[in-house]
Amino acid sequence: MRQEEIWDVEAAQRYDTPGTGMFAREVLGPAVDRLAGLAGGGPALEFAIGTGRVAVPLAERGVPVTGIELSPPMIAQLRTKADEASIPVITGDMASATAPGKYTLVYLVYNTISNLLTQAEQVACFHNAARHLLPGGRFVIELWVPELRKLPPGQQAMVFAARPGYIGLDTYDVLRQHVVSHHFSFDDSRQAGLFRSPHRYIWPAELDLMAQLAGFELEARHADWAGAEFTAESRSHVSVYRIPADHPDVA
């Protein structure tokens, strides 16, 4: 399925979970704090802005935020919280769409770069970020670390979460670095709901090479938004890349 088919009206309407999950204060607060600091008083551009989970509270902090988003239903959900004047959004692909102006910060959170399913598209995303940045600007990516060490030998599937009413299952294609996340939700009835999303996973070293190809330098990498040390056991990372002031994509 194409990404615009996955993030349809139904997905957009159930995406927001105020106060819980990815919208929990302890999850969202440190991300907004860190991004506000990295913006340095300048404007920010969010790739795949979605329903505004991060953009809305960041704008409330006084950071001017613009977004790029592929899914019109996700934008419509965002519009229930913020109008076009407060958070402008350009409809398009984060690997190629252009937003007006230049920014001190471009950011891409919650594993969303993996929604681009080829290495070429992911590299193009870095180049697109570079084109939007002011001299010395930063590109921030939040991304999970592939958990292939947990995949049993000879198996292609792994349960990553199991709790009452929910099971999460990933299936891997290690040749193409593809994973499909299957989210099963169920109650006491005999029926279960299924939401699937395909991704291309990226190792941190590969991500750094993509950044170098676009002219970025790795400035910092932590295990979370609060700045915990990134180690071999970290399940995710927040990577901050900076583009030199003399890079040809910035002006």
Side-chain angles (χ1 to χ4, degrees):
M1 294 181 67
R2 297 179 301 170
Q3 291 295 331
E4 54 266 42
E5 295 173 330
I6 295 170
W7 301 106
D8 57 13
V9 173
E10 182 182 353
Q13 290 177 345
R14 68 166 182 262
Y15 188 82
D16 291 355
T17 56
T20 63
M22 71 179 81
F23 286 80
R25 179 177 298 179
E26 62 271 20
V27 174
L28 191 53
V32 173
D33 288 345
R34 183 83 185 280
L35 291 170
L38 290 170
L45 174 64
E46 181 171 358
F47 284 177
I49 194 171
T51 68
R53 180 182 72 95
V54 174
V56 170
L58 188 59
E60 290 172 348
R61 290 279 297 270
V63 178
V65 181
T66 299
I68 290 175
E69 173 57 49
L70 185 65
S71 166
M74 297 290 274
I75 298 173
Q77 185 70 11
L78 168 60
R79 287 288 165 253
T80 66
K81 311 172 210 175
D83 60 23
E84 179 70 18
S86 57
I87 301 180
V89 178
I90 289 80
T91 303
D93 191 312
M94 59 185 161
S96 59
T98 301
K102 293 284 187 175
Y103 303 85
T104 59
L105 176 69
V106 178
Y107 64 94
L108 185 51
V109 299
Y110 215 73
N111 308 321
T112 311
I113 192 172
S114 68
N115 289 353
L116 299 170
L117 298 181
T118 68
Q119 186 182 71
E121 289 176 308
Q122 291 168 348
V123 171
C125 183
F126 272 92
H127 282 285
N128 200 27
R131 286 191 292 270
H132 283 93
L133 285 169
L134 288 163
R138 295 178 174 96
F139 184 31
V140 180
I141 294 179
E142 178 187 19
L143 185 61
W144 96 96
V145 177
E147 296 189 89
L148 267 66
R149 288 188 299 174
K150 295 183 178 180
L151 193 66
Q155 301 297 311
Q156 296 179 321
M158 178 187 67
V159 174
F160 64 82
R163 56 182 181 266
Y166 175 79
I167 294 175
L169 175 73
D170 282 340
T171 55
Y172 285 86
D173 176 349
V174 296
L175 291 179
R176 297 190 299 162
Q177 288 184 210
H178 279 186
V179 56
V180 178
S181 294
H182 304 73
H183 305 271
F184 298 91
S185 56
F186 51 89
D187 52 25
D188 292 334
S189 71
R190 298 175 63 184
Q191 303 298 317
L194 171 61
F195 177 77
R196 292 179 295 177
S197 58
H199 306 272
R200 182 184 186 271
Y201 59 83
I202 315 168
W203 299 101
E206 183 187 9
L207 197 73
D208 291 348
L209 181 57
M210 292 180 183
Q212 291 177 36
L213 291 173
F216 286 99
E217 300 171 348
L218 179 64
E219 182 176 81
R221 171 169 291 140
H222 295 100
D224 58 27
W225 290 103
E229 181 185 3
F230 180 75
T231 72
E233 302 306 314
S234 299
R235 296 186 61 183
S236 63
H237 59 93
V238 175
S239 296
V240 181
Y241 298 99
R242 191 160 192 167
I243 192 133
D246 59 354
H247 189 270
D249 275 346
V250 302

